[in-house]
Amino acid sequence: MKNKGAMMNKNTTLSRRERKKEETKQSILRTAIHFFQTQGYDATTMEQIAESVDLSKVTLYNYFPSKELIVAEFFQTMSHQFVDQVLDMLAKLSTTRSKIYEYFRGQFEWNRQYRELLQVYFVHQFQSMLQPEAYQNSGMDQVLAQIIGYGQEAGEIRRDLPTEYLAKHLEIMYVMEFMVWILEGDSWNPDQHLGAMVDLFMNGAENKR
């Protein structure tokens, strides 16, 4: 019984320690994103973040070795939360085209408030692709695979190509379109460009007249 009690106490201690670490991590994320949004990414220092969350600089670097990794963690976390929220909404739409468009439109509306940070995130993601062990998937391809799988079952999308293959190519199309928005700014019309992108995916570039 003693051993069992000691084991429970040890597990409880570990659990508390993990909860404390997660709380600290979330505090760092909230504080850093606030500074990035209010005073700019470049103007914010790791020293400022550490002081604001009452951590030593060494401890902060144990959680996040760089500002880029704070941004990456933020977008990874929010992307997965967005996935969980959007699936029920997409299930209510009747066509594959509408599901794809509304998913991307929702992504854009959320992301547009973090335009400066998205530039940092995209650079980080592209660099990470060259180091597979460091790359973190956003979860977008999983949502797109579900939508495309629905479209294949409904006869709206061809079935001779694997679902995952189509999902990955559609994700790349969206990322490229998003990069155009980052470069062009307000002249980029989301309804027009996202609509054209979805149309290109669904219908192809072939002139069928």
Side-chain angles (χ1 to χ4, degrees), residues 21-127:
K21 286 180 63 176
E22 183 60 26
E23 289 170 2
T24 301
K25 180 180 176 181
Q26 293 304 317
S27 178
I28 293 170
L29 286 172
R30 286 193 301 270
T31 301
I33 296 302
H34 171 74
F35 281 136
F36 295 156
Q37 289 292 89
T38 55
Q39 65 185 27
Y41 177 81
D42 290 334
T44 301
T45 66
M46 292 291 275
E47 290 84 352
Q48 184 181 26
I49 297 169
E51 182 178 350
S52 296
V53 294
D54 196 24
L55 293 175
S56 70
K57 190 175 174 182
V58 172
T59 302
L60 174 61
Y61 276 98
N62 285 335
Y63 281 90
F64 297 103
S66 68
K67 292 192 297 182
E68 291 84 355
L69 290 177
I70 294 177
V71 172
E73 179 69 23
F74 171 72
F75 278 108
Q76 289 291 333
T77 300
M78 297 309 295
S79 293
H80 287 290
Q81 289 180 5
F82 182 79
V83 166
D84 293 338
Q85 295 171 3
V86 78
L87 289 177
D88 288 340
M89 181 273 289
L90 294 178
K92 299 174 184 177
L93 301 175
S94 59
T95 66
T96 303
R97 180 188 296 271
S98 63
K99 291 175 188 289
I100 294 173
Y101 175 80
E102 291 300 330
Y103 174 63
F104 285 143
R105 195 68 169 84
Q107 279 274 0
F108 171 76
E109 288 301 328
W110 182 81
N111 281 314
R112 70 190 309 174
Q113 63 188 308
Y114 301 110
R115 185 176 170 187
E116 180 190 13
L117 297 184
L118 277 168
Q119 297 179 51
V120 177
Y121 179 60
F122 275 136
V123 170
H124 171 80
Q125 285 295 88
F126 281 121
Q127 291 175 340

Side-chain angles (χ1 to χ4, degrees), residues 94-97 99 150-158 202:
S94 59
T95 66
T96 303
R97 180 188 296 271
K99 291 175 188 289
Y150 164 87
Q152 289 174 320
E153 291 178 5
E156 296 179 282
I157 294 181
R158 57 192 292 183
M202 294 296 295

